[in-house]
Amino acid sequence: MPDGAIGERPGSARGRTGRPPLTGERRAEIRLEIARAAVELFVTQGVTATTGDQIARAVGLSTRTLWRYFPGKESCVSPLFAAGIDAIAAALRAWPVGAPLEDALEQVSTNGEGTMAMPEPPRVRTLLRLTRTEPGLRAVWLQAHDEAEPAFARALADRAGLGAVDLRSEIQAAMLNAALRAAVEHYAWHTDEAEPDPATARAELAGTIRSALIVAADGIA
């Protein structure tokens, strides 16, 4: 039996040998390592040509272990797509009354906690371009934004001093979420084909996000 000796119950004293259980923090780190490796493989050789075996080998895991973290190869990038949701929600709660939305979110959107997990913007751009032709990758990208919206609505309701999310908060969150998605997609799909240096790419992405937030702020403020 692969999980223990014959006659022993899983979790028995003799069955608990080997490595201790991973902490939640370490599991999150491993998920990010897998995500970065998947991005590199997807953008260099394409999604179709990339296998789960290759992603697993890139981070020193078995393929069986990889599938314990993610249900499919496209979903391996989901931690990067979802990066920053908590940081943006926290910034929304702390958004000072009367302050521009783009100022409140600028650090999170360009240099904050969420983007520290991301590859350099040129890689992000290439990955986002793949979502136009890879349905599985597109589904993961849209799912990340679907999960972000309730978090943004809750944060906006908290900022307004509400005990529960109301319709206004939900609409505001949907507008913000759409603006952020549109900004990143615009950056990915409408910038030059030439690969910019990372500093230039970061500036271009930051400017695009800021412009989108200015437009969204008219309906959120």
Side-chain angles (χ1 to χ4, degrees), residues 22-44:
L22 295 175
T23 64
E25 182 179 357
R26 179 54 186 151
R27 287 183 61 84
E29 290 173 354
I30 292 173
R31 284 172 59 85
L32 281 174
E33 290 170 10
I34 293 170
R36 294 190 191 101
V39 169
E40 287 302 312
L41 288 166
F42 288 165
V43 302
T44 55

Side-chain angles (χ1 to χ4, degrees), residues 24 27 32 35 61 64 112 123 149 152 169 180 193-194:
R27 287 183 61 84
L32 281 174
L61 297 175
R64 179 179 179 183
R123 281 292 195 247
E149 204 161 292
F152 297 163
S169 300
L180 291 171
E193 287 292 331

Side-chain angles (χ1 to χ4, degrees), residues 7-219:
E8 291 183 348
R9 294 182 295 106
S12 66
R14 292 184 61 189
R16 290 196 298 269
T17 60
R19 297 179 181 178
L22 295 175
T23 64
E25 182 179 357
R26 179 54 186 151
R27 287 183 61 84
E29 290 173 354
I30 292 173
R31 284 172 59 85
L32 281 174
E33 290 170 10
I34 293 170
R36 294 190 191 101
V39 169
E40 287 302 312
L41 288 166
F42 288 165
V43 302
T44 55
Q45 65 184 34
V47 177
T48 301
T50 299
T51 66
D53 290 342
Q54 290 174 325
I55 298 172
R57 284 198 302 270
V59 291
L61 297 175
S62 69
T63 306
R64 179 179 179 183
T65 300
L66 176 72
W67 300 140
R68 292 175 182 167
Y69 285 93
F70 299 101
K73 64 181 181 181
E74 291 90 351
S75 65
C76 288
V77 302
S78 60
L80 298 182
F81 283 161
I85 291 176
D86 291 342
I88 291 173
L92 288 173
R93 290 188 179 91
W95 177 18
V97 175
L101 175 64
E102 61 272 20
D103 288 348
L105 296 185
E106 182 172 31
Q107 184 176 3
V108 174
S109 300
T110 57
N111 299 304
E113 175 184 333
T115 56
M116 291 301 290
M118 297 292 286
E120 290 290 358
R123 281 292 195 247
V124 175
R125 185 181 68 172
T126 304
L127 181 66
L128 263 293
R129 283 178 172 171
L130 288 174
T131 66
R132 302 186 83 176
T133 57
E134 297 288 345
L137 210 55
R138 182 69 177 171
V140 175
W141 168 242
L142 295 178
Q143 179 64 30
H145 281 276
D146 188 56
E147 293 171 357
E149 204 161 292
F152 297 163
R154 178 69 266 176
L156 289 165
D158 290 345
R159 177 178 182 266
L162 302 176
V165 173
D166 63 353
L167 179 61
R168 180 179 177 83
S169 300
E170 290 177 340
I171 294 172
Q172 289 174 331
M175 294 171 63
L176 171 61
N177 197 30
L180 291 171
R181 179 171 64 83
V184 177
E185 289 182 351
H186 181 88
Y187 163 79
W189 298 344
H190 297 287
T191 51
D192 294 336
E193 287 292 331
E195 192 82 344
D197 66 90
T200 300
R202 280 192 293 271
E204 290 177 353
L205 178 57
T208 304
I209 290 174
R210 186 174 182 85
S211 296
L213 291 175
I214 289 172
V215 173
D218 290 339

